[in-house]
Amino acid sequence: MMKSKLFLVMLAAPALALAVPADAQDVPPPVAQTDEQSALEFRAEQIVALVNGELEPQEVFSEAFLNAVPPAQFAAISAQLTGQFGKAIAVESLDPPGGTRATLAIRMEKAIARGGIAIDPTSENRVSELLFQSFDAIDDSPAKIEADLANLPGEVSWWFGAIEEPSAPVIADRASEQMPLGSTFKLYVMAALARDIAAGKRAWGDVVNLGDARSFPSGMMQDWPKGAAVTLETLASLMLSISDNTATDTLIDVLGRDAVLQAVVDSGHSSPDLNDPFLKTRDMFLLKAGPEGRLRTYREADSDVRNQILEGIDEPVLPMSTVQAAFSGGPVALDVEWFASARDLAGLMRFMRRTADPRAFEIMAISPNLPENARSNWTYAGYKGGSEPGVLNLTWLLTDQQGRDHALILSWRNDDANVDQNALELIAQRMLALPR
């Protein structure tokens, strides 16, 4: 399963910047740097025109930047930004205004985009770095957010609110619908492990040895030597922070499939049978990349037959190239997955707060997948996301200044095409900015 990434737009550009006055957005931008402008100010103003499609990336970005972010990719990113937040209007702030590097804020019609910019004096002061980390919504509303979510292709569900007040979310829709999770299912593995540790049945420092069976990336443990000694804490940390699939499967072997499934049941999952038997990541890869007949039988079978299939899942042995090829053409059998509704996942957060050893939440916070300004509004941010072609889930556990826990959960399924992670993460930032 692929690791969900923090939304970062990185851009690189050459040396001409255009200012678009807020009260004259239809006026063509200037084509030359004024005497009053520093090179950095000029380039920052060019970014406004560039985002609006009024300049070509080759006019603004350095060659190194364009190698990393080709013009077509930048155009797609710009279209995504303007589609959600409207046209770029003007540079809101640039600090410091001189030199070669600064923090940058650009006012758009519906948000303030914040990040950083750098120019390269050896490349005609072209933009060599451009990073938008956050978007502060202007005049946003639940209705506008829900309209944008509803316009995404496929099926989308969402829930945001205080986990101890599940009947009164800030914003929610289709929150009871079962959705594929991708690697977010690993939170259920963590719940089972952390409950055992809290109950004294296990300890974070318990050591296990890696066996022969390995999963496929994401992760790194698939390349570790046979018999490598690792603690449960190391396995759990890699499982959540870099979505290590071999670490996950090792923990499932330690706990047992049935124990993880019991955590699904005990957390209040509304349809736990959808996860019976509880798949390991290797199972999922081999089912979808293996013989078509086996996959078809698995999809149509009850849990007993499915368990029998999983007992022989390693035959035939499949090379990594075959597995990679199976997932390169778009969504594959999205009913062979791990499932939960947004409400189920909010319930899981509530369950973990009551039963999990506190160390579990420190591990969940290793990779919070939130820009710094969004994190500043919360005293705690834990995260796990998951994806495969056609599937995306984003799940946060957040604690506010008053000590109340909130969950933000978004799930997206499209059986016909890949989904756009950046689009959903942008909307997540807008949801977090809503008044609570």
Side-chain angles (χ1 to χ4, degrees):
M1 309 302 293
M2 293 179 287
K3 181 187 175 190
S4 179
K5 63 182 185 302
L6 173 65
F7 175 74
L8 300 177
V9 179
M10 303 193 65
L11 317 175
L16 293 180
L18 313 176
V20 183
D23 57 352
Q25 297 175 36
D26 294 328
V27 176
V31 295
Q33 181 178 346
T34 67
D35 293 338
E36 293 79 18
Q37 286 179 310
S38 69
L40 189 61
E41 287 174 316
F42 176 61
R43 291 301 186 187
E45 291 185 351
Q46 276 191 312
I47 298 302
V48 175
L50 193 64
V51 168
N52 291 334
E54 296 164 351
L55 274 180
E56 294 298 323
Q58 295 90 329
E59 297 181 60
V60 181
F61 292 127
S62 68
E63 181 178 354
F65 188 94
L66 290 171
N67 288 336
V69 184
Q73 182 180 351
F74 183 82
I77 292 171
S78 296
Q80 185 180 83
L81 295 181
T82 56
Q84 281 220 46
F85 301 116
K87 288 183 65 176
I89 297 173
V91 173
E92 180 82 1
S93 64
L94 184 70
D95 184 25
T100 61
R101 184 181 297 274
T103 59
L104 171 67
I106 290 181
R107 177 171 290 272
M108 304 182 74
E109 290 176 334
K110 301 177 185 178
I112 305 295
R114 301 186 187 278
I117 186 173
I119 57 176
D120 182 359
T122 67
S123 180
E124 298 179 301
N125 289 321
R126 293 175 181 267
V127 176
S128 56
E129 298 177 24
L130 180 61
L131 172 65
F132 290 146
Q133 291 178 294
S134 65
F135 298 83
D136 299 336
I138 301 171
D139 192 29
D140 211 352
S141 70
K144 292 177 181 177
I145 291 172
E146 290 187 333
D148 287 342
L149 285 165
N151 285 332
L152 295 175
E155 305 170 43
V156 186
S157 71
W158 57 92
W159 194 95
F160 175 43
I163 62 174
E164 296 297 341
E165 301 171 16
S167 62
V170 175
I171 182 172
D173 194 46
R174 303 183 69 185
S176 297
E177 183 157 336
Q178 294 296 316
M179 299 287 282
L181 300 180
S183 282
T184 300
F185 88 89
K186 295 168 185 177
L187 289 173
Y188 284 105
V189 181
M190 175 60 96
L193 173 64
R195 179 167 63 167
D196 274 4
I197 291 173
K201 296 179 180 179
R202 306 180 193 277
W204 291 110
D206 288 351
V207 174
V208 298
N209 300 99
L210 295 184
D212 290 328
R214 304 298 171 90
S215 189
F216 301 88
S218 56
M220 63 173 70
M221 274 194 165
Q222 70 276 356
D223 299 320
W224 286 21
K226 177 184 176 182
V230 292
T231 65
L232 296 182
E233 184 171 12
T234 297
L235 291 168
S237 297
L238 292 177
M239 175 178 71
L240 295 192
S241 66
I242 64 170
S243 210
D244 193 295
N245 290 326
T246 295
T248 304
D249 289 359
T250 302
L251 282 174
I252 294 174
D253 285 337
V254 169
L255 296 164
R257 294 183 197 266
D258 291 344
V260 180
L261 184 59
Q262 191 61 50
V264 174
V265 173
D266 293 346
S267 69
H269 193 293
S270 56
S271 300
D273 289 350
L274 292 175
N275 298 294
D276 184 12
F278 198 88
L279 290 171
K280 293 190 288 188
T281 66
R282 181 176 174 84
D283 298 334
M284 187 276 293
F285 284 119
L286 296 181
L287 282 168
K288 297 191 180 189
E292 291 184 11
R294 183 174 68 186
L295 176 60
R296 182 171 57 252
T297 300
Y298 188 90
R299 298 173 77 178
E300 297 171 352
D302 61 19
S303 61
D304 289 338
V305 174
R306 288 184 170 193
N307 270 306
Q308 293 173 21
I309 292 172
L310 295 183
E311 288 176 2
I313 195 69
D314 285 325
E315 297 296 336
V317 177
L318 297 180
M320 183 177 292
S321 59
T322 300
V323 174
Q324 291 172 331
F327 289 86
S328 64
V332 180
L334 299 189
D335 54 337
V336 179
E337 253 274 358
W338 303 265
F339 288 87
S341 71
R343 289 189 185 278
D344 291 336
L345 290 169
L348 174 62
M349 298 297 98
R350 192 162 55 247
F351 173 75
M352 290 184 68
R353 278 302 196 192
R354 295 171 181 171
T355 65
D357 184 88
R359 187 67 166 172
F361 302 104
E362 297 177 25
I363 294 172
M364 285 175 60
I366 294 173
S367 298
N369 195 27
L370 280 180
E372 191 62 39
N373 75 312
R375 267 182 280 174
S376 66
N377 297 324
W378 306 92
T379 62
Y380 170 84
Y383 171 80
K384 187 71 191 85
S387 64
E388 68 163 296
V391 171
L392 179 62
N393 175 275
L394 311 173
T395 294
W396 283 272
L397 175 64
L398 305 155
T399 307
D400 66 17
Q401 303 294 338
Q402 290 72 45
R404 294 195 312 160
D405 283 326
H406 292 66
L408 171 58
I409 299 139
L410 299 102
S411 287
W412 186 1
R413 171 179 182 166
N414 188 343
D415 290 75
D416 300 319
N418 293 335
V419 297
D420 186 341
Q421 182 164 325
N422 283 346
L424 202 62
E425 290 185 337
L426 283 171
I427 293 176
Q429 288 195 30
R430 294 166 59 191
M431 294 172 80
L432 288 174
L434 291 173
R436 300 186 301 278

